[in-house]
Amino acid sequence: MNIIITGAAGFIGSHLTIKLLALNHHVTAIDNLSTGFLDNLNPVKDHPDLTLIIDDIQNTSAWDNQAKNGDIIIHLAATVGVKKVYADSYNTLINNLDSTQAVLEVARNRKCKVFMASTSEVYGQSEKPVLSETDSLSVTTTDQGRSSYVISKLTNEISCLNYHQLKSVPVIIGRFFNVAGENQKSEFGMVIPTFIENALDGKPLILYNDGSQRRSFCYIEDVLSAIITLILEPRAWGNIFNIGNDTTITIKELAEYIHKKCNSHSEISYAAMPAERSGKSEIYSRLPSIKKINELTGWKPEVYWQKTIDLLIANVKKDLIIDRL
Ligand SMILES: NC(=O)c1ccc[n+]([C@@H]2O[C@H](COP(=O)([O-])OP(=O)(O)OC[C@H]3O[C@@H](n4cnc5c(N)ncnc54)[C@H](O)[C@@H]3O)[C@@H](O)[C@H]2O)c1
């Protein structure tokens, strides 16, 4: 199968590119390297079944001739990451809206299917202990920088469903709940790589407020298997699925576990939420119901959070040894 991946040099996209090539698919990988890194694709850079295009997906003339009738576009390209979204909320909105529109138009013209990456953040401030696909979605006030990311993903979902219903473009929407894995970068504000790097470097692990925020972390391999399972399931098209791990931990527990596993001498300290993140935009708990994907496909996560953290610590230590050679 020819699979087109947007955002292929990013965290999830690079893992997916490598996985799909290993499964003997042809992959057309597109990325403008705004937050992605070519190094992420080093293991496959000379693979004969990889077509790599470094360009903005909004420049559709650079890649639409790669898309053939029946191909699948896995649309991961977006402006993401707390720091990046707060730093430029307007361009987050514009990039995510215009990029998705470009993908949907190529899919319509070339008769392709689209898997679109959405996010658990669309559930907003929901206080439900477990979140299902049919639950209400919400956005905090527009003066919260993070809202632009949520608004863009909500709008992307509506556009995708509209193209599915009215323009014969089969779509699947996957709402990812915090994905964790190798090559995830701390510089964009991701908590796990930040804590591991700080614990190994002797820098403080900072908990905002009391660290009682609850999160579920889904290991990258589980996310890849969910995407692949869904695109191969004919009954999945036209649907929205939560993709995540159905257990949670608090950020404090996460910090303490990483601290212990790294034999760290770092301090675990507490701080007030940074001004731009304080107030209504902080979400205290987010746990997915994975009943829908599980009942349709049998998919469930295989790797739970302790194992995820152990794998990631081992990977960072391996990179540190290589860097020092
Ligand atoms: N990582 C998570 O925990 C998580 C959680 C929920 C949703 N998601 C979604 O999954 C997708 C992938 O996230 P990620 O964590 O791999 O992020 P990432 O930043 O590592 O990857 C996004 C990639 O898209 C590229 N990109 C952005 N705009 C582009 C454009 N206009 N043209 C071409 N390339 C462009 C970037 O250079 C980057 O390589 C995103 O859509 C994100 O919203 C991720």
Side-chain angles (χ1 to χ4, degrees):
M1 202 185 317
N2 182 40
I3 299 181
I4 297 164
I5 303 180
T6 75
F11 162 53
I12 300 173
S14 56
H15 283 280
L16 186 62
T17 301
I18 293 165
K19 180 93 180 175
L20 289 171
L21 288 169
L23 293 172
N24 297 324
H25 296 288
H26 182 278
V27 176
T28 301
I30 311 164
D31 203 296
N32 66 359
L33 303 183
S34 52
T35 56
F37 297 86
L38 263 187
D39 282 358
N40 287 343
L41 293 171
N42 266 348
V44 290
K45 67 179 187 333
D46 299 319
H47 198 292
D49 288 327
L50 174 69
T51 302
L52 179 61
I53 298 172
I54 303 302
D55 211 321
D56 197 295
I57 52 172
Q58 292 171 49
N59 182 19
T60 52
S61 60
W63 63 279
D64 72 342
N65 60 353
Q66 299 291 323
K68 311 269 182 326
N69 194 343
D71 288 353
I72 297 177
I73 305 173
I74 300 182
H75 176 41
L76 302 170
T79 303
V80 298
V82 177
K83 282 189 189 163
K84 188 124 177 109
V85 171
Y86 277 109
D88 197 348
S89 57
Y90 179 72
N91 281 316
T92 298
L93 186 66
I94 298 303
N95 184 41
N96 296 357
L97 295 183
D98 291 353
S99 298
T100 301
Q101 184 62 26
V103 166
L104 288 169
E105 272 302 297
V106 171
R108 185 171 70 89
N109 290 328
R110 302 275 172 166
K111 302 198 181 332
C112 299
K113 300 174 179 174
V114 177
F115 176 102
M116 206 275 301
S118 185
T119 170
S120 60
E121 295 203 24
V122 296
Y123 293 108
Q125 304 295 309
S126 173
E127 289 179 1
K128 285 192 72 178
V130 183
L131 298 161
S132 301
E133 291 85 348
T134 48
D135 286 342
S136 300
L137 311 176
S138 68
V139 183
T140 55
T141 57
T142 47
D143 61 352
Q144 301 284 337
R146 198 164 177 163
S147 302
S148 72
Y149 176 68
V150 181
I151 291 167
S152 72
K153 290 290 180 177
L154 281 169
T155 313
N156 290 164
E157 289 195 6
I158 293 167
S159 305
C160 285
L161 293 173
N162 180 270
Y163 271 71
H164 180 90
Q165 287 153 4
L166 302 180
K167 299 182 185 176
S168 302
V169 176
V171 299
I172 294 171
I173 295 165
R175 289 183 184 152
F176 300 157
F177 284 63
N178 296 322
V179 186
E182 293 80 0
N183 296 341
Q184 199 166 26
K185 303 287 188 269
S186 57
E187 62 207 75
F188 302 122
M190 308 302 181
V191 64
I192 294 180
T194 305
F195 279 179
I196 294 177
E197 285 170 23
N198 287 1
L200 292 171
D201 270 1
K203 294 182 187 154
L205 277 60
I206 299 170
L207 303 177
Y208 292 125
N209 299 338
D210 59 359
S212 64
Q213 303 90 331
R214 284 199 160 269
R215 293 287 180 273
S216 73
F217 293 98
C218 195
Y219 186 53
I220 183 74
E221 284 295 328
D222 282 330
V223 173
L224 303 186
S225 75
I227 297 172
I228 294 167
T229 303
L230 285 171
I231 62 174
L232 294 177
E233 169 52 63
R235 292 170 300 163
W237 297 96
N239 281 291
I240 300 175
F241 296 93
N242 287 340
I243 297 175
N245 196 297
D246 52 349
T247 56
T248 57
I249 49 163
T250 65
I251 299 296
K252 182 165 182 266
E253 285 167 335
L254 179 72
E256 287 169 351
Y257 186 81
I258 291 174
H259 192 268
K260 186 169 148 228
K261 284 285 175 167
C262 292
N263 295 319
S264 177
H265 301 295
S266 298
E267 183 192 353
I268 297 182
S269 58
Y270 294 85
M273 189 65 72
E276 73 279 10
R277 285 176 58 185
S278 66
K280 288 185 181 171
S281 70
E282 184 61 2
I283 294 161
Y284 266 82
S285 183
R286 243 192 245 131
L287 177 64
S289 160
I290 52 170
K291 192 166 176 265
K292 185 171 175 185
I293 183 172
N294 180 261
E295 285 185 353
L296 186 72
T297 68
W299 178 87
K300 60 179 176 44
E302 302 287 338
V303 181
Y304 282 82
W305 71 266
Q306 288 93 337
K307 172 96 185 289
T308 299
I309 303 301
D310 294 350
L311 288 166
L312 299 185
I313 291 173
N315 186 62
V316 174
K317 282 186 177 166
K318 185 188 80 199
D319 286 350
L320 286 175
I321 292 167
I322 293 169
D323 285 351
R324 283 176 194 148
L325 286 178

